[in-house]
Amino acid sequence: MADTTVKIDEPTRDRFKALADGAGMSMKDYLAQVALEKEHEQLLDTATAAFRRAIGAPGVMEMFDAEFGGLPQVTKSETSRAA
């Protein structure tokens, strides 16, 4: 795949360079990774919105509870706490 140039201001370039260096990556590889991560975030946002619409439909949660017995009960010993 051919490379291309993107014009950005120096402070932004420097920030990306520092982030790439911190990750032990070239800026080209770092930006490719960021693009993939952003695509995944968009897909997850879309899936989350669809899921929320589905479970918000009347009767869906009741059918889930009837089929699977509802959510498990959390005991006091299972709750999160700081170490």
Side-chain angles (χ1 to χ4, degrees):
M1 191 174 350
D3 289 344
T4 188
T5 302
V6 176
K7 292 185 182 255
I8 56 174
D9 58 54
E10 287 184 20
T12 301
R13 186 224 33 224
D14 294 345
R15 289 170 60 200
F16 277 123
K17 177 75 171 122
L19 290 165
D21 289 346
M25 302 170 76
S26 68
M27 194 180 328
K28 177 182 174 179
D29 290 341
Y30 181 78
L31 291 173
Q33 178 181 313
V34 168
L36 286 173
E37 289 173 358
K38 289 298 179 185
E39 287 176 344
H40 290 160
E41 285 178 19
Q42 287 180 343
L43 291 171
L44 285 171
D45 288 346
T46 300
T48 298
F51 179 75
R52 289 184 191 278
R53 281 191 306 276
I55 66 170
V60 169
M61 290 306 296
E62 292 78 8
M63 288 187 310
F64 178 87
D65 288 345
E67 183 72 24
F68 297 103
L71 296 174
Q73 297 297 315
V74 177
T75 64
K76 187 174 180 178
S77 64
E78 293 175 321
T79 58
S80 299
R81 60 182 171 187

